[in-house]
Amino acid sequence: MKILLFGGSGQLGYELKKRANDLAFEVVSPVTKELDITDKAQVFTLIRSLQPTTVINSAAYTAVDKAEEEPDRAFAINAQGVRNISEACAKCGVRLLHISTDYVFDGLLGRKLKEDDAVNPLSVYGRSKLEGEEFVRSICGDGGLVVRTQALYGQKGVNFVHTMLKLFGERDVLKVVDDQFVSPTWAGWLAEVLLDLVRLPISGTLHASCGGVVSWYDFAREIQRLSLESYAGKSVARIEPTIAAELNRPAKRPIYSAFDTSRLESVLGRPVLSWQAALNLFLREIGVAKGE
Ligand SMILES: NC(=O)c1ccc[n+]([C@@H]2O[C@H](COP(=O)([O-])OP(=O)(O)OC[C@H]3O[C@@H](n4cnc5c(N)ncnc54)[C@H](OP(=O)(O)O)[C@@H]3O)[C@@H](O)[C@H]2O)c1
């Protein structure tokens, strides 16, 4: 099976390429300089000439706070770029698997979110990603699958786990938000799930995250607990809870955006990996935990 992957240089794209090669998929993944998804002609030419079995779109404008200052750029990539890909896929009869986010929700329900729960993005990033999702659903129909995920971390790129591991060794005290709740998701696990989905004929929208729910504060404490031995002999930051309002970040985030993953579990025929097990595997993979 031939996969055309957009966003292969990103955090999730890196894990996808690594695992797709192991599973003997043929993967073509142009870098942004070669293929900018906002360039409609380039996107059409590539998809028409390559005729992949599936396009995976992991390319996105992901600077959530900066998007508040540059909405045009965020919408150009996350909405119009996705429209270009959707139209090219629909025209060429190619399946599209598109990655989206929990930030399409406001998180005010206070329970795990289902695929058909009402959306209400709180930020430019969330609104631009929602518009992208809507293009996939309306243009690709049965040939499109929107996979929403959240709170990703992996080997490559800047993410919460890498940031915590660095700051534990640099700070005396580290304040972490205790009033926002997520299902932290290991990009390596998600990549395997996405490659399973490539082989399954499903469409619509799917929630894909690791299982369980935790505040950022408790997530940080678990990262520290599992990585403590790697700081042997050095002082380690004390983690203290704070509230999101104190950070005063430009973009508003959902308060409680954990996913109900029952649709994914029934499609895959297996339960999702818990966030704790995934974190354990990841910290072992990068050599900062021995595992339990
Ligand atoms: N990170 C999270 O916590 C999180 C949470 C929920 C959902 N998601 C979604 O998951 C997906 C992957 O996220 P990620 O963390 O892997 O993002 P990332 O590390 O920021 O990677 C984004 C990728 O998009 C590419 N890109 C940006 N603009 C492009 C353009 N105009 N044309 C072609 N490629 C372009 C980037 O290429 P360059 O390297 O050349 O810029 C990079 O490869 C995204 O759809 C994101 O919205 C992420």
Side-chain angles (χ1 to χ4, degrees):
M1 284 178 115
K2 197 194 286 178
I3 295 174
L4 171 59
L5 170 65
F6 294 123
S9 63
Q11 173 170 239
L12 177 60
Y14 171 80
E15 305 284 350
L16 273 165
K17 277 195 298 192
K18 199 163 74 177
R19 284 163 175 81
N21 289 330
D22 290 349
L23 292 169
F25 283 100
E26 184 189 342
V27 183
V28 178
S29 182
V31 295
T32 316
K33 261 191 284 177
E34 296 162 344
L35 193 288
D36 185 327
I37 63 168
T38 64
D39 186 327
K40 186 173 177 171
Q42 271 192 346
V43 170
F44 265 76
T45 305
L46 181 65
I47 293 178
R48 199 181 295 120
S49 63
L50 202 66
Q51 283 294 323
T53 327
T54 302
V55 169
I56 301 182
N57 181 36
S58 185
Y61 179 108
T62 56
V64 175
D65 286 320
K66 205 165 162 215
E68 299 295 313
E69 290 163 30
E70 354 184 88
D72 292 350
R73 184 94 192 112
F75 273 87
I77 297 169
N78 293 346
Q80 291 308 316
V82 178
R83 180 186 196 163
N84 294 339
I85 298 170
S86 302
E87 287 178 349
C89 284
K91 188 138 202 177
C92 300
V94 172
R95 184 159 177 250
L96 172 59
L97 216 150
H98 171 69
I99 317 302
S100 192
T101 171
D102 56 325
Y103 283 21
V104 299
F105 295 108
D106 58 24
L108 294 175
L109 280 178
R111 61 151 170 81
K112 290 187 176 172
L113 297 161
K114 295 177 194 288
E115 287 80 355
D116 55 1
D117 276 329
V119 288
N120 182 29
L122 303 172
S123 61
V124 167
Y125 169 73
R127 284 194 289 280
S128 67
K129 291 291 292 183
L130 178 59
E131 202 169 297
E133 283 191 1
E134 284 164 351
F135 283 131
V136 177
R137 284 187 288 261
S138 64
I139 296 168
C140 298
D142 287 347
L145 176 64
V146 172
V147 180
R148 293 187 186 129
T149 190
Q150 59 178 279
L152 284 182
Y153 60 89
Q155 280 202 14
K156 193 158 179 269
V158 179
N159 59 56
F160 186 80
V161 179
H162 283 316
T163 303
M164 289 298 111
L165 291 171
K166 181 169 170 284
L167 296 181
F168 291 159
E170 293 176 0
R171 301 263 180 94
D172 295 328
V173 176
L174 191 55
K175 293 201 172 222
V176 183
V177 170
D178 196 25
D179 60 352
Q180 283 174 344
F181 298 85
V182 288
S183 305
T185 299
W186 175 29
W189 170 83
L190 180 62
E192 278 172 21
V193 166
L194 292 170
L195 294 170
D196 285 341
L197 294 174
V198 164
R199 300 185 199 273
L200 296 170
I202 51 157
S203 57
T205 308
L206 202 52
H207 282 178
S209 67
C210 287
V213 52
V214 68
S215 73
W216 290 108
Y217 167 73
D218 284 324
F219 186 40
R221 294 203 329 156
E222 184 64 357
I223 297 166
Q224 189 173 76
R225 189 181 74 79
L226 292 172
S227 65
L228 213 49
E229 278 185 29
S230 66
Y231 296 91
K234 299 181 199 143
S235 69
V236 180
R238 191 176 70 251
I239 308 171
E240 289 184 356
T242 187
I243 53 169
E246 263 187 27
L247 297 186
N248 209 14
R249 290 194 285 192
K252 269 182 101 177
R253 271 95 171 149
I255 292 171
Y256 188 106
S257 58
F259 285 156
D260 179 329
T261 53
S262 6
R263 184 176 181 220
L264 176 69
E265 289 174 303
S266 100
V267 162
L268 294 176
R270 63 175 190 265
V272 297
L273 191 65
S274 73
W275 72 262
Q276 294 97 329
L279 178 64
N280 221 302
L281 289 170
F282 173 67
L283 293 178
R284 277 157 64 179
E285 186 179 86
I286 62 169
V288 299
K290 292 213 177 94
E292 296 180 331

